[in-house]
Amino acid sequence: MKKGFYILLLFTFFQVSGQKTYLKEHYDNGKLKSEGWLNQTQKVDYWLYYFENGNKKEEGHFINNKKCKWWIFYNSKEAISKKCEFENDQLNGFSVFYKNNQIIRVEKYFMGTKSNEWNSLKEFKKDNKLNFL
């Protein structure tokens, strides 16, 4: 009987402690500042951040409070300014920079250190066989 009680207690603890919650933070003016998923105190999954005017500022994935995968960054008018790949909260992969919805530069990073740069899409495509652009 005691063994069953302890198993039930452990199951309940792990079930509650593993639940995610959706958090929304606001500026003093009431506008949304950020929103996304928390697993206990760690940011996980998809998050969105906003400028004080309400426009999107950046969005992307977290694993254990660290940026990962692709992130999109916007200017204050909500136009995309860059898209960057992250791993373990560091730039790792490509960073693609935009102006007027056109690619103007691409940089490549390895764990936070820039390893290459292309100042035109033509140069980049010549050196890289990628289908995402």
Side-chain angles (χ1 to χ4, degrees), residues 8-103:
L8 181 61
L9 185 63
L10 278 172
F11 179 73
T12 303
F13 171 76
F14 284 115
Q15 187 177 19
V16 170
S17 67
Q19 289 181 342
K20 293 189 298 186
T21 55
Y22 199 78
L23 176 70
K24 290 185 177 188
E25 298 175 297
H26 294 84
Y27 288 105
D28 290 340
N29 67 9
K31 296 246 184 195
L32 194 56
K33 184 177 185 178
S34 65
E35 61 181 319
W37 290 99
L38 285 177
N39 187 354
Q40 296 177 3
T41 60
Q42 302 284 304
K43 291 179 183 174
V44 295
D45 298 335
Y46 211 76
W47 275 76
L48 294 113
Y49 293 86
Y50 301 90
F51 287 103
E52 207 162 346
N53 68 7
N55 289 344
K56 270 194 256 184
K57 183 177 183 179
E58 60 188 83
E59 60 183 306
H61 290 88
F62 279 99
I63 293 177
N64 297 326
N65 233 27
K66 295 181 180 183
K67 288 181 179 177
C68 64
K69 302 180 185 179
W70 280 98
W71 275 71
I72 303 171
F73 298 85
Y74 301 88
N75 65 24
S76 61
K77 295 178 182 176
E78 214 170 50
I80 295 174
S81 61
K82 63 184 174 179
K83 296 178 182 177
C84 303
E85 286 183 281
F86 284 86
E87 184 178 329
N88 204 23
D89 220 22
Q90 295 184 54
L91 288 169
N92 192 51
F94 292 105
S95 289
V96 183
F97 295 81
Y98 295 82
K99 184 174 183 179
N100 300 325
N101 293 322
Q102 299 293 316
I103 296 171

